[in-house]
Amino acid sequence: MSATTTWERFAEEAPELAAAVRGRFEATKHHVLATVRRDGSPRVSGTEVMFHGPDLAVGSMPGAVKARDLQRDGRFALHANPGDGSMEGGDAKVAGVAVEEVDPDRFEAYAEEVKPPLPSHLFRLGLDEVVLTSLHPDGDRLVIETWRPEAGVTRVERA
């Protein structure tokens, strides 16, 4: 993934932010994936995510519209389930380019670990951006932490 980066590299560069964002994705099973339709308009779909090897990944049933979208145009945004609305743990989003795993050995390793219904698709999510929005401990402002490859983490507070 040349223009994007793996979850593993992101976690090496920004370990605290990566731990917080991973916590949001692991807190619940279902999340919201945005893909690009053939006509260029957005599509949102429910999805499950997994951390597999160095990657954040999503699977899909064969022929699902989200899989066809990603095969045609890998751009995506993924929003972690925000939970109960309390903002506890923050609101996590990632964006980048998905690449379908077509290497049989890698797909087999994934299938052995995750045990998806077969046949299925596996997409590795290359990251362009990771964002965590949370409440400041004082409760009076938002804290927005953003990571991008080559730029590192920036932090903005908004009242």
Side-chain angles (χ1 to χ4, degrees), residues 58-64 67-68 71 100 107 110 119-123:
V58 297
S60 175
M61 294 182 293
R68 291 195 312 262
Q71 289 169 328
E100 187 166 15
F107 186 87
Y110 153 75
S120 68
H121 298 280
L122 170 65
F123 294 93

Side-chain angles (χ1 to χ4, degrees), residues 92-108:
K93 299 174 280 292
V94 300
V97 179
V99 175
E100 187 166 15
E101 183 56 75
V102 294
D103 178 272
D105 293 333
R106 286 184 173 184
F107 186 87
E108 185 177 324

Side-chain angles (χ1 to χ4, degrees), residues 22 39 81 131 145:
R22 183 173 181 149
D39 68 3
N81 184 323
V131 179
E145 295 175 277

